[in-house]
């Protein structure tokens, strides 16, 4: 039966999706973050949640380094995205990845508020790219 765009959508419910041969289904066009990190540099420092992170080192005020469990293929293969929830509402607050201080096995992160390196209780990061 032909359905018009205005028709209601169907719901698909399943506990397991398998390929026709019974193995894991291949999803095409999908890319998940290869590393995620939610880090509190003020109260601890403490890793609040993570994926593919072996350890985090407090490098200096407003700076830390995340060591991935599985390294990336190269530093050029990493696209890192950050989002900060700073203590204050000062304009100009930002987290960012410092490529020059990073490599395939270490991601160097920094947090600034109004141009000054500052510890923050909520730093979040997601890194995409090819793993080694």
């Amino acid at each position: 039966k032909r359905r018009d765009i205005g028709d209601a959508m169907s719901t698909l419910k399943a506990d397991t999706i398998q390929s026709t041969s019974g193995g894991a289904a291949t999803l095409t066009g999908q890319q998940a973050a290869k590393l995620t990190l939610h880090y509190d540099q003020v109260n601890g420092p403490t890793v609040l949640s993570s994926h593919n992170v072996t350890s985090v080192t407090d490098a200096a005020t407003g700076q830390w380094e995340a060591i991935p469990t599985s390294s990336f293929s190269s530093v050029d293969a990493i696209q890192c995205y950050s989002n900060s929830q700073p203590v204050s509402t000062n304009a100009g607050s930002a987290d960012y990845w410092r490529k020059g201080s990073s490599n395939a096995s270490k991601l160097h992160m920094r947090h600034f508020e109004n141009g000054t390196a500052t510890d923050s209780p909520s730093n979040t990061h997601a890194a995409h790219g090819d793993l080694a």
Side-chain angles (χ1 to χ4, degrees), residues 12-74:
L12 173 66
K13 295 181 180 182
D15 293 324
T16 304
I17 304 288
Q18 293 184 332
S19 67
T20 55
S21 62
T26 301
L27 299 175
T28 57
Q30 304 291 315
Q31 184 185 37
K34 302 299 191 293
L35 178 146
T36 60
L37 174 63
H38 185 194
Y39 182 63
D40 178 348
Q41 196 177 18
V42 174
N43 303 301
T46 304
V47 173
L48 301 172
S49 65
S50 68
H51 167 70
N52 190 30
V53 176
T54 297
S55 64
V56 178
T57 301
D58 188 345
T61 300
Q63 299 182 48
W64 58 97
E65 295 173 342
I67 307 300
T69 305
S70 297
S71 297
F72 287 84
S73 59
S74 74

Side-chain angles (χ1 to χ4, degrees), residues 87-132:
V87 176
S88 65
T89 56
N90 295 335
S93 299
D95 286 348
Y96 72 90
W97 170 56
R98 190 170 181 195
K99 182 177 177 181
S101 298
S102 298
N103 59 47
S105 300
K106 175 186 78 176
L107 281 67
H108 189 95
M109 310 292 187
R110 300 179 80 182
H111 175 81
F112 286 88
E113 290 188 22
N114 295 320
T116 303
T118 306
D119 289 348
S120 175
S122 185
N123 305 286
T124 57
H125 303 278
H128 296 262
D130 296 326
L131 297 179

